[in-house]
Amino acid sequence: MTALTAAGVGHAAVMATLHGACFDKTGETAWDEPAMAELLAMPGALAFIASVGDQPVGFILARLAADEGEIITIGTRPDVRRQGIGESLLTRTIETAASAGATRIFLEVAADNAPALTFYRGRDFKDCGRRKGYYRRTGGPVDAYILVFEIAAGK
């Protein structure tokens, strides 16, 4: 069974480790503990860690401002993907954002990340823009799609 725990600056090391585990093969640079702590300390930061037993297996980091939210990063370890962990993290974040007055949530996803695009689009995220060369990777830049979830429409 997956448990979700609200996360803060004190969880920066765990979240940095998870970020590295989730994105180490994408060619993107994993965020280290100080970078993660800085993000978690932002006004409006919202984060959760998913655990199975005592093992952290996934995380989400978002921020809220006025009536909007932004998912900064979300990931599950490769060995536990497609088990509903990302769904649980996303759902809890949307519910928390809605309770805080958010009416929409944005995120960016790499244009070459077909599984993530399928995941978000299957949960009513809609395309609303594109950022050329947004992701810097060892193999060269990759565009990002900007997606939006309208909270009232998705309830």
Side-chain angles (χ1 to χ4, degrees), residues 16-72:
T17 298
L18 283 168
H19 193 273
C22 294
F23 296 103
D24 70 341
K25 291 186 174 38
T26 65
E28 293 178 42
T29 302
W31 297 347
D32 61 13
E33 183 177 349
M36 195 63 75
E38 185 177 329
L39 290 166
L40 289 163
M42 294 182 310
L46 172 65
F48 297 99
I49 295 173
S51 299
V52 174
D54 63 351
Q55 292 297 309
V57 295
F59 71 102
I60 190 167
L61 174 59
R63 70 175 159 199
L64 304 175
D67 67 341
E68 293 183 349
E70 176 190 14
I71 295 172
I72 298 168

Short mmCIF file of all heavy atoms in Angstrom, two decimals, residues 16-72:
data_model
loop_
_atom_site.label_atom_id
_atom_site.label_comp_id
_atom_site.label_asym_id
_atom_site.label_seq_id
_atom_site.Cartn_x
_atom_site.Cartn_y
_atom_site.Cartn_z
N ALA A 16 15.79 14.77 -3.34
CA ALA A 16 16.91 14.84 -4.30
C ALA A 16 17.33 13.44 -4.74
O ALA A 16 17.60 13.20 -5.92
CB ALA A 16 18.08 15.60 -3.68
N THR A 17 17.38 12.51 -3.80
CA THR A 17 17.72 11.12 -4.13
C THR A 17 16.68 10.53 -5.08
O THR A 17 17.03 9.89 -6.08
CB THR A 17 17.83 10.27 -2.85
OG1 THR A 17 18.88 10.81 -2.04
CG2 THR A 17 18.12 8.82 -3.17
N LEU A 18 15.41 10.77 -4.80
CA LEU A 18 14.35 10.28 -5.68
C LEU A 18 14.45 10.93 -7.06
O LEU A 18 14.28 10.25 -8.08
CB LEU A 18 12.97 10.55 -5.07
CG LEU A 18 12.55 9.62 -3.95
CD1 LEU A 18 11.32 10.17 -3.23
CD2 LEU A 18 12.27 8.22 -4.49
N HIS A 19 14.71 12.23 -7.10
CA HIS A 19 14.82 12.92 -8.39
C HIS A 19 15.91 12.27 -9.23
O HIS A 19 15.73 12.01 -10.42
CB HIS A 19 15.10 14.41 -8.16
CG HIS A 19 14.93 15.24 -9.38
ND1 HIS A 19 15.93 15.43 -10.30
CD2 HIS A 19 13.86 15.92 -9.85
CE1 HIS A 19 15.49 16.20 -11.27
NE2 HIS A 19 14.24 16.52 -11.03
N GLY A 20 17.06 11.99 -8.60
CA GLY A 20 18.15 11.32 -9.33
C GLY A 20 17.75 9.95 -9.82
O GLY A 20 18.06 9.57 -10.96
N ALA A 21 17.05 9.19 -8.99
CA ALA A 21 16.62 7.84 -9.37
C ALA A 21 15.60 7.88 -10.51
O ALA A 21 15.58 6.98 -11.36
CB ALA A 21 16.04 7.10 -8.17
N CYS A 22 14.76 8.90 -10.52
CA CYS A 22 13.69 8.97 -11.52
C CYS A 22 14.16 9.52 -12.86
O CYS A 22 13.60 9.17 -13.90
CB CYS A 22 12.56 9.85 -10.99
SG CYS A 22 11.71 9.16 -9.57
N PHE A 23 15.20 10.36 -12.85
CA PHE A 23 15.58 11.05 -14.08
C PHE A 23 17.01 10.78 -14.52
O PHE A 23 17.48 11.40 -15.46
CB PHE A 23 15.37 12.56 -13.91
CG PHE A 23 13.93 12.92 -13.70
CD1 PHE A 23 13.46 13.24 -12.44
CD2 PHE A 23 13.04 12.90 -14.76
CE1 PHE A 23 12.12 13.55 -12.23
CE2 PHE A 23 11.70 13.21 -14.56
CZ PHE A 23 11.24 13.53 -13.30
N ASP A 24 17.70 9.83 -13.90
CA ASP A 24 19.11 9.62 -14.22
C ASP A 24 19.36 9.14 -15.64
O ASP A 24 20.44 9.34 -16.18
CB ASP A 24 19.77 8.68 -13.22
CG ASP A 24 19.29 7.23 -13.33
OD1 ASP A 24 18.21 7.01 -13.91
OD2 ASP A 24 19.98 6.34 -12.83
N LYS A 25 18.41 8.54 -16.29
CA LYS A 25 18.63 8.02 -17.65
C LYS A 25 18.09 8.95 -18.74
O LYS A 25 18.16 8.62 -19.90
CB LYS A 25 18.01 6.64 -17.76
CG LYS A 25 18.75 5.59 -16.93
CD LYS A 25 18.20 4.21 -17.17
CE LYS A 25 18.96 3.12 -16.50
NZ LYS A 25 19.48 3.31 -15.21
N THR A 26 17.57 10.10 -18.35
CA THR A 26 17.00 11.00 -19.35
C THR A 26 18.04 11.95 -19.93
O THR A 26 17.75 12.64 -20.90
CB THR A 26 15.88 11.86 -18.75
OG1 THR A 26 16.42 12.72 -17.75
CG2 THR A 26 14.77 11.00 -18.18
N GLY A 27 19.23 12.00 -19.33
CA GLY A 27 20.23 12.94 -19.78
C GLY A 27 20.08 14.31 -19.15
O GLY A 27 20.81 15.23 -19.45
N GLU A 28 19.10 14.44 -18.26
CA GLU A 28 18.92 15.69 -17.52
C GLU A 28 19.73 15.62 -16.24
O GLU A 28 20.00 14.55 -15.71
CB GLU A 28 17.44 15.90 -17.17
CG GLU A 28 16.57 16.12 -18.38
CD GLU A 28 15.10 16.26 -18.02
OE1 GLU A 28 14.78 16.93 -17.02
OE2 GLU A 28 14.27 15.70 -18.75
N THR A 29 20.09 16.77 -15.73
CA THR A 29 20.84 16.83 -14.49
C THR A 29 19.88 16.70 -13.32
O THR A 29 18.90 17.44 -13.22
CB THR A 29 21.61 18.16 -14.39
OG1 THR A 29 22.46 18.27 -15.52
CG2 THR A 29 22.42 18.24 -13.12
N ALA A 30 20.16 15.77 -12.43
CA ALA A 30 19.33 15.60 -11.24
C ALA A 30 19.55 16.79 -10.30
O ALA A 30 20.64 17.36 -10.25
CB ALA A 30 19.68 14.30 -10.52
N TRP A 31 18.51 17.15 -9.58
CA TRP A 31 18.61 18.25 -8.63
C TRP A 31 19.24 17.74 -7.35
O TRP A 31 18.81 16.72 -6.80
CB TRP A 31 17.24 18.83 -8.37
CG TRP A 31 16.60 19.42 -9.60
CD1 TRP A 31 17.21 19.70 -10.79
CD2 TRP A 31 15.23 19.77 -9.76
NE1 TRP A 31 16.30 20.22 -11.67
CE2 TRP A 31 15.08 20.28 -11.07
CE3 TRP A 31 14.13 19.72 -8.93
CZ2 TRP A 31 13.86 20.73 -11.55
CZ3 TRP A 31 12.92 20.17 -9.41
CH2 TRP A 31 12.79 20.67 -10.72
N ASP A 32 20.21 18.46 -6.83
CA ASP A 32 20.87 18.06 -5.60
C ASP A 32 20.07 18.57 -4.38
O ASP A 32 19.06 19.27 -4.53
CB ASP A 32 22.32 18.53 -5.56
CG ASP A 32 22.48 20.05 -5.62
OD1 ASP A 32 21.49 20.80 -5.46
OD2 ASP A 32 23.62 20.49 -5.84
N GLU A 33 20.53 18.20 -3.20
CA GLU A 33 19.81 18.55 -1.97
C GLU A 33 19.65 20.05 -1.78
O GLU A 33 18.54 20.51 -1.47
CB GLU A 33 20.50 17.91 -0.77
CG GLU A 33 19.78 18.16 0.52
CD GLU A 33 20.44 17.47 1.71
OE1 GLU A 33 21.33 16.63 1.52
OE2 GLU A 33 20.04 17.78 2.84
N PRO A 34 20.70 20.87 -1.97
CA PRO A 34 20.50 22.32 -1.80
C PRO A 34 19.48 22.90 -2.79
O PRO A 34 18.67 23.76 -2.42
CB PRO A 34 21.89 22.91 -2.05
CG PRO A 34 22.84 21.80 -1.71
CD PRO A 34 22.13 20.55 -2.15
N ALA A 35 19.50 22.43 -4.03
CA ALA A 35 18.52 22.92 -5.01
C ALA A 35 17.11 22.52 -4.60
O ALA A 35 16.17 23.32 -4.69
CB ALA A 35 18.85 22.38 -6.40
N MET A 36 16.96 21.29 -4.14
CA MET A 36 15.64 20.82 -3.72
C MET A 36 15.17 21.60 -2.49
O MET A 36 14.00 21.98 -2.41
CB MET A 36 15.69 19.32 -3.44
CG MET A 36 14.34 18.67 -3.35
SD MET A 36 13.33 18.70 -4.86
CE MET A 36 14.14 17.48 -5.87
N ALA A 37 16.08 21.85 -1.54
CA ALA A 37 15.71 22.62 -0.34
C ALA A 37 15.25 24.02 -0.71
O ALA A 37 14.28 24.54 -0.14
CB ALA A 37 16.90 22.68 0.62
N GLU A 38 15.94 24.62 -1.67
CA GLU A 38 15.55 25.96 -2.11
C GLU A 38 14.14 25.96 -2.71
O GLU A 38 13.33 26.85 -2.43
CB GLU A 38 16.56 26.48 -3.14
CG GLU A 38 16.31 27.90 -3.58
CD GLU A 38 17.37 28.41 -4.54
OE1 GLU A 38 18.53 27.98 -4.46
OE2 GLU A 38 17.01 29.25 -5.39
N LEU A 39 13.84 24.97 -3.52
CA LEU A 39 12.50 24.86 -4.11
C LEU A 39 11.44 24.61 -3.05
O LEU A 39 10.36 25.19 -3.08
CB LEU A 39 12.48 23.75 -5.16
CG LEU A 39 13.27 24.04 -6.43
CD1 LEU A 39 13.46 22.77 -7.25
CD2 LEU A 39 12.57 25.10 -7.26
N LEU A 40 11.75 23.74 -2.10
CA LEU A 40 10.79 23.43 -1.03
C LEU A 40 10.54 24.62 -0.11
O LEU A 40 9.50 24.68 0.55
CB LEU A 40 11.27 22.22 -0.23
CG LEU A 40 11.19 20.89 -0.97
CD1 LEU A 40 12.07 19.84 -0.28
CD2 LEU A 40 9.75 20.41 -1.05
N ALA A 41 11.49 25.55 -0.05
CA ALA A 41 11.35 26.73 0.81
C ALA A 41 10.61 27.88 0.13
O ALA A 41 10.30 28.88 0.78
CB ALA A 41 12.74 27.20 1.25
N MET A 42 10.27 27.74 -1.14
CA MET A 42 9.56 28.81 -1.86
C MET A 42 8.19 29.05 -1.24
O MET A 42 7.53 28.10 -0.80
CB MET A 42 9.29 28.40 -3.32
CG MET A 42 10.45 28.24 -4.20
SD MET A 42 9.93 27.81 -5.91
CE MET A 42 8.81 26.45 -5.66
N PRO A 43 7.74 30.31 -1.25
CA PRO A 43 6.36 30.55 -0.83
C PRO A 43 5.41 29.76 -1.73
O PRO A 43 5.61 29.69 -2.94
CB PRO A 43 6.18 32.06 -1.05
CG PRO A 43 7.58 32.61 -1.03
CD PRO A 43 8.46 31.53 -1.60
N GLY A 44 4.42 29.13 -1.15
CA GLY A 44 3.45 28.37 -1.92
C GLY A 44 3.89 26.97 -2.30
O GLY A 44 3.16 26.27 -3.01
N ALA A 45 5.07 26.54 -1.85
CA ALA A 45 5.54 25.19 -2.20
C ALA A 45 4.60 24.14 -1.61
O ALA A 45 4.08 24.28 -0.50
CB ALA A 45 6.95 24.97 -1.69
N LEU A 46 4.40 23.09 -2.37
CA LEU A 46 3.53 21.99 -1.99
C LEU A 46 4.22 20.71 -2.47
O LEU A 46 4.55 20.60 -3.65
CB LEU A 46 2.17 22.14 -2.69
CG LEU A 46 1.17 21.02 -2.60
CD1 LEU A 46 0.71 20.85 -1.14
CD2 LEU A 46 -0.02 21.33 -3.49
N ALA A 47 4.47 19.78 -1.56
CA ALA A 47 5.19 18.57 -1.96
C ALA A 47 4.70 17.37 -1.16
O ALA A 47 4.28 17.49 -0.01
CB ALA A 47 6.69 18.75 -1.73
N PHE A 48 4.78 16.22 -1.80
CA PHE A 48 4.44 14.94 -1.18
C PHE A 48 5.46 13.89 -1.58
O PHE A 48 5.99 13.93 -2.69
CB PHE A 48 3.04 14.47 -1.62
CG PHE A 48 1.94 15.38 -1.20
CD1 PHE A 48 1.41 16.30 -2.09
CD2 PHE A 48 1.44 15.35 0.09
CE1 PHE A 48 0.39 17.17 -1.71
CE2 PHE A 48 0.43 16.21 0.48
CZ PHE A 48 -0.10 17.12 -0.41
N ILE A 49 5.70 12.98 -0.67
CA ILE A 49 6.54 11.81 -0.95
C ILE A 49 5.66 10.58 -0.82
O ILE A 49 4.90 10.45 0.14
CB ILE A 49 7.72 11.72 0.05
CG1 ILE A 49 8.66 12.91 -0.14
CG2 ILE A 49 8.47 10.40 -0.14
CD1 ILE A 49 9.75 13.00 0.90
N ALA A 50 5.75 9.69 -1.80
CA ALA A 50 5.03 8.41 -1.77
C ALA A 50 5.99 7.35 -1.26
O ALA A 50 7.15 7.29 -1.69
CB ALA A 50 4.53 8.05 -3.16
N SER A 51 5.51 6.52 -0.36
CA SER A 51 6.32 5.43 0.19
C SER A 51 5.54 4.14 0.15
O SER A 51 4.32 4.12 0.31
CB SER A 51 6.72 5.72 1.64
OG SER A 51 7.48 6.89 1.72
N VAL A 52 6.27 3.07 -0.06
CA VAL A 52 5.73 1.71 0.08
C VAL A 52 6.50 1.11 1.24
O VAL A 52 7.73 0.96 1.16
CB VAL A 52 5.89 0.89 -1.21
CG1 VAL A 52 5.44 -0.55 -0.98
CG2 VAL A 52 5.11 1.53 -2.36
N GLY A 53 5.80 0.82 2.32
CA GLY A 53 6.48 0.43 3.55
C GLY A 53 7.30 1.61 4.01
O GLY A 53 6.80 2.73 4.08
N ASP A 54 8.56 1.40 4.28
CA ASP A 54 9.42 2.51 4.70
C ASP A 54 10.31 3.02 3.56
O ASP A 54 11.24 3.78 3.79
CB ASP A 54 10.28 2.11 5.91
CG ASP A 54 11.25 0.97 5.59
OD1 ASP A 54 11.15 0.38 4.49
OD2 ASP A 54 12.10 0.68 6.45
N GLN A 55 10.02 2.61 2.33
CA GLN A 55 10.83 2.99 1.18
C GLN A 55 10.18 4.11 0.37
O GLN A 55 9.10 3.91 -0.20
CB GLN A 55 11.06 1.79 0.27
CG GLN A 55 11.92 0.71 0.87
CD GLN A 55 13.32 1.24 1.16
OE1 GLN A 55 13.97 1.82 0.30
NE2 GLN A 55 13.76 1.06 2.39
N PRO A 56 10.82 5.29 0.27
CA PRO A 56 10.31 6.34 -0.62
C PRO A 56 10.41 5.87 -2.07
O PRO A 56 11.46 5.39 -2.49
CB PRO A 56 11.23 7.52 -0.36
CG PRO A 56 11.95 7.22 0.92
CD PRO A 56 12.00 5.72 1.01
N VAL A 57 9.32 6.00 -2.81
CA VAL A 57 9.30 5.51 -4.19
C VAL A 57 8.88 6.57 -5.20
O VAL A 57 8.99 6.35 -6.40
CB VAL A 57 8.39 4.27 -4.33
CG1 VAL A 57 8.94 3.09 -3.53
CG2 VAL A 57 6.96 4.59 -3.91
N GLY A 58 8.40 7.70 -4.73
CA GLY A 58 7.95 8.74 -5.65
C GLY A 58 7.77 10.06 -4.94
O GLY A 58 7.78 10.11 -3.70
N PHE A 59 7.63 11.11 -5.73
CA PHE A 59 7.49 12.44 -5.15
C PHE A 59 6.82 13.37 -6.14
O PHE A 59 6.76 13.09 -7.34
CB PHE A 59 8.87 13.00 -4.77
CG PHE A 59 9.68 13.35 -5.99
CD1 PHE A 59 9.80 14.66 -6.40
CD2 PHE A 59 10.31 12.37 -6.74
CE1 PHE A 59 10.52 15.00 -7.54
CE2 PHE A 59 11.03 12.69 -7.88
CZ PHE A 59 11.14 14.01 -8.28
N ILE A 60 6.33 14.47 -5.61
CA ILE A 60 5.81 15.56 -6.44
C ILE A 60 6.15 16.86 -5.74
O ILE A 60 6.14 16.94 -4.50
CB ILE A 60 4.30 15.43 -6.70
CG1 ILE A 60 3.82 16.43 -7.76
CG2 ILE A 60 3.50 15.55 -5.40
CD1 ILE A 60 2.42 16.14 -8.29
N LEU A 61 6.49 17.86 -6.53
CA LEU A 61 6.78 19.19 -6.02
C LEU A 61 6.02 20.18 -6.89
O LEU A 61 6.16 20.16 -8.12
CB LEU A 61 8.28 19.48 -6.06
CG LEU A 61 8.74 20.89 -5.69
CD1 LEU A 61 8.31 21.28 -4.28
CD2 LEU A 61 10.25 21.00 -5.83
N ALA A 62 5.21 20.99 -6.25
CA ALA A 62 4.40 21.98 -6.96
C ALA A 62 4.49 23.30 -6.20
O ALA A 62 5.03 23.37 -5.09
CB ALA A 62 2.94 21.51 -7.04
N ARG A 63 3.94 24.31 -6.80
CA ARG A 63 3.80 25.58 -6.08
C ARG A 63 2.47 26.20 -6.45
O ARG A 63 1.95 26.00 -7.57
CB ARG A 63 4.97 26.51 -6.35
CG ARG A 63 5.02 27.07 -7.72
CD ARG A 63 6.15 28.08 -7.85
NE ARG A 63 6.48 28.19 -9.27
CZ ARG A 63 7.61 28.67 -9.70
NH1 ARG A 63 8.52 29.06 -8.88
NH2 ARG A 63 7.83 28.76 -10.99
N LEU A 64 1.95 26.95 -5.52
CA LEU A 64 0.67 27.60 -5.69
C LEU A 64 0.85 29.11 -5.56
O LEU A 64 1.60 29.57 -4.70
CB LEU A 64 -0.32 27.13 -4.62
CG LEU A 64 -0.55 25.63 -4.52
CD1 LEU A 64 -1.45 25.30 -3.34
CD2 LEU A 64 -1.15 25.10 -5.82
N ALA A 65 0.17 29.86 -6.43
CA ALA A 65 0.17 31.31 -6.36
C ALA A 65 -1.19 31.78 -6.88
O ALA A 65 -1.61 31.38 -7.97
CB ALA A 65 1.29 31.91 -7.20
N ALA A 66 -1.85 32.57 -6.07
CA ALA A 66 -3.18 33.06 -6.41
C ALA A 66 -4.09 31.86 -6.74
O ALA A 66 -4.20 30.95 -5.93
CB ALA A 66 -3.12 34.09 -7.53
N ASP A 67 -4.68 31.87 -7.93
CA ASP A 67 -5.59 30.77 -8.26
C ASP A 67 -4.97 29.75 -9.21
O ASP A 67 -5.67 28.98 -9.86
CB ASP A 67 -6.89 31.32 -8.86
CG ASP A 67 -6.70 31.99 -10.21
OD1 ASP A 67 -5.55 32.34 -10.54
OD2 ASP A 67 -7.70 32.17 -10.93
N GLU A 68 -3.62 29.74 -9.28
CA GLU A 68 -2.95 28.80 -10.17
C GLU A 68 -1.93 27.96 -9.42
O GLU A 68 -1.35 28.39 -8.43
CB GLU A 68 -2.24 29.54 -11.30
CG GLU A 68 -3.20 30.21 -12.25
CD GLU A 68 -2.50 30.89 -13.41
OE1 GLU A 68 -1.27 31.04 -13.40
OE2 GLU A 68 -3.21 31.27 -14.35
N GLY A 69 -1.71 26.77 -9.96
CA GLY A 69 -0.67 25.90 -9.46
C GLY A 69 0.24 25.51 -10.61
O GLY A 69 -0.14 25.60 -11.78
N GLU A 70 1.43 25.07 -10.24
CA GLU A 70 2.38 24.58 -11.23
C GLU A 70 3.07 23.35 -10.65
O GLU A 70 3.61 23.41 -9.55
CB GLU A 70 3.44 25.63 -11.55
CG GLU A 70 4.51 25.13 -12.49
CD GLU A 70 5.69 26.07 -12.63
OE1 GLU A 70 5.85 27.00 -11.83
OE2 GLU A 70 6.48 25.84 -13.57
N ILE A 71 3.04 22.27 -11.39
CA ILE A 71 3.79 21.08 -10.99
C ILE A 71 5.21 21.29 -11.51
O ILE A 71 5.43 21.37 -12.72
CB ILE A 71 3.16 19.80 -11.53
CG1 ILE A 71 1.78 19.61 -10.88
CG2 ILE A 71 4.07 18.60 -11.25
CD1 ILE A 71 0.96 18.49 -11.45
N ILE A 72 6.14 21.40 -10.58
CA ILE A 72 7.53 21.65 -10.94
C ILE A 72 8.21 20.36 -11.35
O ILE A 72 8.94 20.31 -12.33
CB ILE A 72 8.26 22.32 -9.76
CG1 ILE A 72 7.60 23.67 -9.46
CG2 ILE A 72 9.75 22.48 -10.06
CD1 ILE A 72 8.03 24.29 -8.15
#
